[in-house]
Amino acid sequence: MKFQTARFHSSAEPQSLFDRVRAKMSAVTHLDLHGDHYRRRKIERNVPSYVLGKIENFNAAEWELVMCEVRTDKGKFVNSTWELNFDGRAYRITIGFNNTVMTVVQKKIGGRGEFVTGGALYDFVERINSELIKNSEKLVVKVTATI
């Protein structure tokens, strides 16, 4: 089933959405690199081996979260775009379902695209992700108290 998505940029982030993505991705140390699109793009775009190594050994603390796409019906993120600066150039990867790298690209100057910066969808996404963060914090406290 195809669902609609909306894109949010870090410059106008709903704080809870970006906090939640950072929290979820902070535990990720392995990305799936087997997608056909990713494999073609890394060769076509001549991505430096240093950057490929940083992708293979992903550490969210070394990357800047710049963009998220969310399902408009649920308010939850479906992919996130991260940026790494290397040798005066910015490289971006988009990570989708099951921590699969969808693509890698050297960032171009300008051309930001369309992003949600306010309104009903923005407020919905903020509320949903705030609740998800609160619920995950309650779960951590409950599990810690049980141990």
Side-chain angles (χ1 to χ4, degrees):
M1 180 170 120
K2 186 80 172 149
F3 49 82
Q4 289 188 324
T5 62
R7 194 174 282 174
F8 293 81
H9 194 273
S10 61
S11 63
E13 65 184 53
Q15 186 70 45
S16 63
L17 170 64
F18 281 74
D19 287 348
R20 183 165 175 266
V21 172
R22 285 183 194 100
K24 291 283 235 182
M25 296 303 291
S26 69
V28 173
T29 58
H30 173 76
L31 298 174
D32 183 349
L33 306 174
H34 301 294
D36 289 337
H37 185 81
Y38 166 73
R39 289 186 304 177
R40 282 194 313 271
R41 294 303 184 250
K42 75 178 185 179
I43 295 167
E44 289 171 1
R45 295 170 175 161
N46 197 26
V47 177
S49 59
Y50 174 82
V51 175
L52 295 175
K54 290 293 188 181
I55 295 169
E56 290 172 11
N57 301 297
F58 183 76
N59 177 350
E62 296 176 343
W63 293 76
E64 178 186 358
L65 177 60
V66 293
M67 223 171 354
C68 297
E69 279 190 340
V70 301
R71 285 181 60 151
T72 57
D73 61 336
K74 297 193 182 263
K76 296 180 179 180
F77 81 98
V78 293
N79 69 52
S80 55
T81 300
W82 300 77
E83 184 172 296
L84 175 73
N85 290 303
F86 171 70
D87 200 23
R89 294 175 283 179
Y91 289 88
R92 287 188 173 178
I93 58 172
T94 299
I95 304 170
F97 290 116
N98 297 321
N99 298 327
T100 300
V101 177
M102 300 165 62
T103 194
V104 58
V105 64
Q106 183 179 339
K107 180 185 170 193
K108 302 274 191 271
I109 303 299
R112 283 184 27 130
E114 291 187 32
F115 299 98
V116 176
T117 59
L121 179 60
Y122 185 98
D123 294 341
F124 172 67
V125 168
E126 176 70 29
R127 188 180 80 251
I128 292 296
N129 285 279
S130 289
E131 291 171 11
L132 289 166
I133 288 171
K134 286 177 190 170
N135 290 338
S136 68
E137 289 170 354
K138 287 177 188 174
L139 180 62
V140 169
V141 170
K142 185 176 181 180
V143 169
T144 305
T146 306
I147 297 174

